[in-house]
Amino acid sequence: MDNTPIFADDTIVFGLLMLALGFVFLTESIKTGFWPKFYKIVPGLFMAYMLPAILTTTGLISPEWTTVSETGAITEHSTSLYYVASRYLLPAALVLMTLSIDLKAIFNLGWKALVMFFTGTIGIIIGGPIAILLIATFSPETVGGIGPDAVWRGLSTLAGSWIGGGANQTAMLEIYGYNQAKYGQMVFVDIVVANIWMAIILIGIGKRNRINKWFKADTTSIEELKEKMSTFSEKVKRNPSLTDIMIICAIAFGTVSIAHLCANYLAPLFESIVSGIESPTTRNIFTFLGSKFFWMISISTFIAILLSNTKAKNYEGAGASKFGSVFIYILVATIGMKMDLALIFDNVGLIAIGVVWMSIHAFLLIFVAKLIKAPYFFLAVGSQANVGGAASAPIVASAFHPSLATVGVLLAVFGYAVGTIAAIGSTILMELAAAG
């Protein structure tokens, strides 16, 4: 079926996304009338995510589409905007936001950040089997299937994605041999449920003071870090010259190029090493080491941390983190355009499993945050480091303050490391739940 969007050219679509972002920032800057009341409820970052989703839902733009020629030949198309934003702009943003980082202050945020991250992991591990048990009472066929068509096998790929990332998801597909003809449905559930949850987290950021008060959270360490970074930024603040801007771009994209160069060598190297491991389970646990995205993000952040100990950190005064924030918002818009709200109703059963699963993850996070009096920041970033990985954890972290983006990256790296082994544990439980 030909489902070409009205605007399929990436140059036009990018312009529409930038117009959407411009609209958000323009209306958010208005201090009187309707808009201040609106943005008091709905954060600007959420709108930057949702407006592109609306453009996709209405058929104006699309992340993927097919065309049918006069001879009946079907051709698949896709936008390159998310790839460019995630592979070029995201690492550049991480570099610019990490330039002025105080790593010691980051580690002083304490143990609650790790507790909330691993709570999110446990929520994913137990959420899948509990969701299967609950949905099975209403619709047994939704969680049924035998052999390669068994739904629990497909759900294993969600566990891999929601604890680690794309490499872990692929590893789970290989380990449990789910029917690849049906794999697209699981990818769809992954995108829909994870994006809905991210939208809820973004809304929560706008209400974080009220949430922290309910948690009785001690936000001292976070506020001290934000204050320290703001003080440093004011100290080195200057009107950026063209030279400043060009050097900022050189630092950002020069680092990205080095990261890509290293990733192009390291990913195949580790992929060959990992493929030589005899044990299939052990081999797939380390699949993430063969991911170019993993190495690219990790190396970009590592170089930026090294630069933060040099005079390069002073470019924060010329607006380095602001340029990083621009790149982050472009990434948010491209993530938003992957969400077609109308398609949610096409896979209601699987979506229901995903929603129940993510709800268990959320309730466990809320329970533990309330128990240990953790700030909402740790809940939001700990969750996204699992569910969204390195692509979205920095987005959520930087929404609190640009200097906190690195926290999201560091936790996301934990997710890559534990993703496959934790997903295997979740899948074993899901298989038992489906058999019961």
Side-chain angles (χ1 to χ4, degrees), residues 227-406:
E227 181 62 31
K228 190 172 184 179
M229 300 312 299
S230 297
T231 301
F232 173 76
S233 182
E234 283 298 317
K235 180 183 174 182
V236 296
K237 187 175 182 179
R238 62 183 186 271
N239 187 28
S241 64
L242 178 59
T243 299
D244 287 330
I245 295 172
M246 292 307 296
I247 291 175
I248 286 172
C249 290
I251 290 171
F253 292 104
T255 300
V256 172
S257 69
I258 294 171
H260 275 273
L261 177 65
C262 294
N264 287 339
Y265 284 101
L266 290 173
L269 172 64
F270 278 93
E271 187 175 21
S272 64
I273 293 172
V274 171
S275 64
I277 298 174
E278 290 186 11
S279 169
T281 303
T282 305
R283 183 170 62 247
N284 282 289
I285 287 172
F286 294 102
T287 300
F288 73 94
L289 292 174
S291 166
K292 288 184 180 180
F293 184 74
F294 165 77
W295 287 111
M296 180 262 297
I297 292 295
S298 300
I299 293 168
S300 296
T301 306
F302 177 72
I303 294 174
I305 290 172
L306 292 180
L307 289 173
S308 71
N309 293 295
T310 70
K311 289 183 179 180
K313 69 186 301 178
N314 292 329
Y315 281 100
E316 172 59 25
S321 64
K322 288 185 175 65
F323 284 101
S325 295
V326 170
F327 299 155
I328 286 290
Y329 270 92
I330 293 173
L331 174 63
V332 170
T334 62
I335 292 174
M337 75 173 289
K338 293 167 68 177
M339 181 77 167
D340 186 341
L341 301 171
L343 295 179
I344 293 175
F345 304 103
D346 290 352
N347 294 274
V348 176
L350 289 176
I351 294 291
I353 294 175
V355 169
V356 172
W357 192 343
M358 198 60 70
S359 298
I360 293 164
H361 165 79
F363 287 132
L364 186 61
L365 281 168
I366 293 169
F367 172 76
V368 174
K370 178 75 171 173
L371 187 67
I372 66 174
K373 300 178 181 178
Y376 179 70
F377 169 75
F378 292 150
L379 183 155
V381 178
S383 173
Q384 280 304 298
N386 279 285
V387 177
S392 62
I395 294 173
V396 171
S398 64
F400 291 85
H401 192 275
S403 65
L404 296 171
T406 310

Side-chain angles (χ1 to χ4, degrees), residues 36-317:
K37 298 174 185 176
F38 177 80
Y39 284 108
K40 193 173 182 180
I41 301 170
V42 181
L45 189 59
F46 172 78
M47 289 299 295
Y49 169 85
M50 193 52 66
L51 286 181
I54 293 172
L55 293 177
T56 296
T57 304
T58 55
L60 288 173
I61 62 177
S62 179
E64 297 176 342
W65 65 96
T66 57
T67 55
V68 182
S69 67
E70 294 181 357
T71 60
I74 298 175
T75 307
E76 295 185 355
H77 307 267
S78 63
T79 177
S80 299
L81 293 179
Y82 173 74
Y83 181 86
V84 171
S86 62
R87 267 58 177 183
Y88 299 98
L89 299 186
L90 172 60
L94 295 177
V95 171
L96 296 178
M97 290 175 163
T98 306
L99 267 187
S100 58
I101 195 70
D102 185 330
L103 203 58
K104 184 179 177 182
I106 289 289
F107 288 123
N108 284 341
L109 291 177
W111 54 273
K112 291 182 180 179
L114 280 177
V115 169
M116 293 309 297
F117 168 78
F118 284 112
T119 296
T121 303
I122 293 169
I124 297 297
I125 291 173
I126 66 173
I130 293 174
I132 286 177
L133 290 172
L134 290 175
I135 298 298
T137 60
F138 303 101
S139 178
E141 66 278 3
T142 301
V143 296
I146 56 174
D149 293 329
V151 172
W152 64 266
R153 294 182 189 273
L155 295 177
S156 72
T157 65
L158 293 186
S161 176
W162 289 348
I163 298 174
N168 307 87
Q169 184 177 32
T170 304
M172 298 305 291
L173 180 65
E174 181 182 329
I175 292 170
Y176 289 100
Y178 184 59
N179 185 347
Q180 294 201 13
K182 295 185 176 182
Y183 178 52
Q185 294 178 333
M186 294 299 168
V187 173
F188 175 75
V189 174
D190 178 12
I191 293 171
V192 169
V193 176
N195 285 0
I196 289 174
W197 174 234
M198 183 176 172
I200 293 170
I201 283 179
L202 294 179
I203 291 174
I205 291 174
K207 304 178 185 298
R208 60 184 179 273
N209 292 333
R210 193 182 306 174
I211 295 172
N212 285 333
K213 187 176 180 181
W214 183 70
F215 283 163
K216 297 180 181 177
D218 179 8
T219 60
T220 305
S221 60
I222 297 172
E223 295 304 322
E224 284 179 352
L225 175 59
K226 289 165 61 176
E227 181 62 31
K228 190 172 184 179
M229 300 312 299
S230 297
T231 301
F232 173 76
S233 182
E234 283 298 317
K235 180 183 174 182
V236 296
K237 187 175 182 179
R238 62 183 186 271
N239 187 28
S241 64
L242 178 59
T243 299
D244 287 330
I245 295 172
M246 292 307 296
I247 291 175
I248 286 172
C249 290
I251 290 171
F253 292 104
T255 300
V256 172
S257 69
I258 294 171
H260 275 273
L261 177 65
C262 294
N264 287 339
Y265 284 101
L266 290 173
L269 172 64
F270 278 93
E271 187 175 21
S272 64
I273 293 172
V274 171
S275 64
I277 298 174
E278 290 186 11
S279 169
T281 303
T282 305
R283 183 170 62 247
N284 282 289
I285 287 172
F286 294 102
T287 300
F288 73 94
L289 292 174
S291 166
K292 288 184 180 180
F293 184 74
F294 165 77
W295 287 111
M296 180 262 297
I297 292 295
S298 300
I299 293 168
S300 296
T301 306
F302 177 72
I303 294 174
I305 290 172
L306 292 180
L307 289 173
S308 71
N309 293 295
T310 70
K311 289 183 179 180
K313 69 186 301 178
N314 292 329
Y315 281 100
E316 172 59 25

